[in-house]
Amino acid sequence: MYKKICLAGAVILLSACSQYRPGIVSQTITQTFSSQDAAIDSNKVARVPYASMSLKVADGPRAFIVLAWNENNTQKWLTADAKMVATQNGRIIKTIGFADNLLALESSEPDPLAQPLTIKDGQQWASQSQWQSGTFHAASVISRFKWAGTEDFTIVGTTRNYRLLEEQVSATTDGASYTQRYWVDAQTGQVVHSEQTLHPHGPVWSLTLLKPWS
């Protein structure tokens, strides 16, 4: 019941604050894609009049998600069944409607991903995360960044070479560690693909930017 109330609240909030209606966004997705794991090609991406990404959580199906709200450098993306993923600078900062949700990600320091091309090897960043996985959890983590060369990556049929940024994350509570990866456009600094773990012991979330927002 709590999950349903939170999800309904998120949809109401998006309806009030977005230039798009979540119902219309979700309908657009389902009209374009016949299933959650349908092939995503350039023609289908072009037919959707909104910025879009693909999302895959662990070994689950790949979902097509659409930008419903972009304000104050926070992008809120909706799935066809009204789940929500909020991002800033390519980083997931909150999720609603999933089995394992990130409730908040906070820091007193600017996120280095705001200007990824200025990141130096060994640069650190401290943050605190709160998540709901059966019960409420919280942890403080330390991130250490390093560049791992370049790598080709293909997005809707187009292959380009990107800089690969690795973020080594360690929890100060139990010492759990994991690695996050970001494929960064060397010209614009935009994160076009990422593999993120939202909290210690959590699954990997894979995000690919299909159509950027303007």
Side-chain angles (χ1 to χ4, degrees):
M1 178 62 71
Y2 175 77
K3 182 185 297 184
K4 291 181 179 178
I5 293 173
C6 288
L7 183 56
V11 172
I12 292 171
L13 178 63
L14 283 168
S15 298
C17 301
S18 174
Q19 61 177 311
Y20 310 129
R21 291 177 59 87
I24 295 175
V25 171
S26 298
Q27 184 179 21
T28 300
I29 300 174
T30 55
Q31 287 175 343
T32 307
F33 293 87
S34 59
S35 69
Q36 285 284 84
D37 211 20
I40 298 175
D41 58 39
S42 58
N43 290 331
K44 289 181 178 179
V45 170
R47 289 208 303 271
V48 175
Y50 313 121
S52 59
M53 292 199 293
S54 67
L55 167 68
K56 187 177 178 66
V57 182
D59 295 326
R62 183 170 55 158
F64 183 79
I65 62 177
V66 165
L67 182 63
W69 183 24
N70 183 16
E71 186 176 70
N72 297 327
N73 195 36
T74 298
Q75 295 78 45
K76 294 188 176 182
W77 309 81
L78 286 180
T79 67
D81 53 353
K83 295 182 177 70
M84 189 199 76
V85 178
T87 63
Q88 284 183 350
N89 309 306
R91 184 190 298 279
I92 300 172
I93 62 168
K94 187 173 185 177
T95 67
I96 293 177
F98 296 87
D100 188 359
N101 284 299
L102 179 65
L103 304 179
L105 179 66
E106 300 173 340
S107 176
S108 60
E109 307 167 357
D111 187 345
L113 286 182
Q115 295 182 305
L117 296 180
T118 67
I119 293 175
K120 307 296 184 184
D121 283 348
Q123 185 170 337
Q124 297 188 22
W125 184 58
S127 60
Q128 301 78 41
S129 59
Q130 301 174 7
W131 68 96
Q132 189 83 27
S133 181
T135 57
F136 175 83
H137 302 271
S140 296
V141 300
I142 299 293
S143 298
R144 293 175 177 83
F145 296 87
K146 72 172 184 178
W147 291 101
T150 63
E151 186 171 293
D152 287 345
F153 191 79
T154 303
I155 301 176
V156 286
T158 299
T159 301
R160 292 181 56 191
N161 190 255
Y162 298 97
R163 296 188 68 184
L164 180 58
L165 179 65
E166 293 188 346
E167 180 183 6
Q168 308 287 341
V169 186
S170 299
T172 59
T173 47
D174 62 0
S177 61
Y178 49 93
T179 301
Q180 308 198 124
R181 295 179 174 87
Y182 307 90
W183 283 251
V184 181
D185 188 306
Q187 301 300 318
T188 66
Q190 188 168 45
V191 175
V192 300
H193 177 69
S194 62
E195 295 173 354
Q196 304 181 47
T197 302
L198 307 188
H199 58 79
H201 314 293
V204 175
W205 294 56
S206 177
L207 278 177
T208 304
L209 183 63
L210 304 175
K211 179 190 289 187
W213 56 95
S214 57

